[in-house]
Amino acid sequence: LMKFLIFSDVHIGGKFNEEMFKKGVEYINKIDADYYIFSGDLTDQGTVAEYEIAKNKYLPMIKKPLLMIPGNHDVKNVGDILWEEYFGQRYFVHTDEKAKVKILGLDSNEPDRNTGRMGPKAIARIYQEFGGLGDDWLKTLVFHHQTLPIKYTGRERSALIDAGDTIKAIMDCNI
C-alpha cells in the first residue's frame, strides 16, 4: 500500500496562521508516508520577504523530503522567478523504478493570474513521462488547479482553461 501526504495553500504572508501551520507540521512529521507533496501556494503574494521566511523559517520545520510545485499565489508579482531562485524548477519528476512509481508535478499557473493553464508543453510532458509506462506502474500527476469547476466557489477561475486537453492526456496515459 502506497501512502501519499499532500498539502497546499499555507499562504505565508497574507492571512497566514502560524499556529495552524505548526499543528500541520506536527501532523506531517508524525505521519509515515512514502511521499510528501506540496501542491502550491506556499506564499501569499510571491514576494522576496515571503519566500525568505518560507524557506528559512517555516519549511525547515518539516522534517520530511518534499516534492513541491508552485501555486497561483506563488507566481504573483515576480514569484515565478523567485520560486526558481529559492527552490529550483517549477516542476518535478520523481521515478522509483523498484516500486514502479512515477510522480510528475507540473506548474499549472499563469503568472499574476488566478487562472490555470497547462499549455502544449506541459501536455506533451504528460505523454512523454507516462506514455511508455505499463499499467503496472503507479502514475501520479500533481498540479495546483482543478480540472473541473467546484460548485459554490465563485467563478470557475481556479479550473484549468485547457482542462479538456489535460483530462484527455490523463485518460490516454491511464494516470
Side-chain angles (χ1 to χ4, degrees):
L1 181 65
M2 192 72 50
K3 287 172 76 175
F4 290 73
L5 187 145
I6 302 173
F7 65 110
S8 69
D9 292 276
V10 296
H11 291 271
I12 293 170
K15 296 179 183 177
F16 178 64
N17 184 326
E18 185 175 40
E19 182 181 332
M20 289 306 295
F21 179 83
K22 287 180 179 179
K23 284 182 182 181
V25 167
E26 277 183 47
Y27 180 78
I28 291 166
N29 287 336
K30 286 180 187 176
I31 295 294
D32 183 29
D34 297 287
Y35 301 101
Y36 302 85
I37 300 172
F38 182 78
S39 61
D41 285 351
L42 177 64
T43 68
D44 192 63
Q45 295 296 315
T47 64
V48 170
E50 290 173 350
Y51 272 99
E52 281 288 326
I53 196 167
K55 183 171 184 173
N56 297 315
K57 180 177 181 180
Y58 293 113
L59 284 180
M61 294 177 184
I62 300 170
K63 303 302 180 196
K64 306 291 184 168
L66 292 177
L67 298 170
M68 296 178 31
I69 54 169
N72 57 304
H73 282 257
D74 298 316
V75 300
K76 287 185 174 185
N77 301 305
V78 293
D80 52 327
I81 296 166
L82 293 173
W83 182 279
E84 292 174 358
E85 287 180 16
Y86 282 81
F87 302 114
Q89 299 178 90
R90 296 191 324 255
Y91 70 92
F92 66 81
V93 180
H94 176 83
T95 306
D96 183 338
E97 299 271 347
K98 184 178 175 192
K100 291 194 170 188
V101 173
K102 185 169 236 184
I103 309 167
L104 174 62
L106 293 174
D107 179 2
S108 62
N109 302 291
E110 295 188 293
D112 291 318
R113 296 191 173 171
N114 288 325
T115 55
R117 176 190 312 267
M118 287 301 224
K121 287 183 182 178
I123 300 289
R125 186 74 186 259
I126 293 169
Y127 285 103
Q128 174 190 340
E129 297 294 341
F130 295 119
L133 295 179
D135 289 338
D136 55 335
W137 280 74
L138 176 59
K139 302 174 240 180
T140 304
L141 176 62
V142 180
F143 50 93
H144 186 69
H145 295 83
Q146 68 264 18
T147 53
L148 300 171
I150 299 172
K151 191 174 182 178
Y152 303 125
T153 59
R155 302 175 309 173
E156 286 79 13
R157 65 189 170 104
S158 294
L160 292 174
I161 290 170
D162 53 355
D165 295 333
T166 304
I167 292 170
K168 182 179 183 322
I170 289 167
M171 293 175 70
D172 287 349
C173 295
N174 198 23
I175 297 170

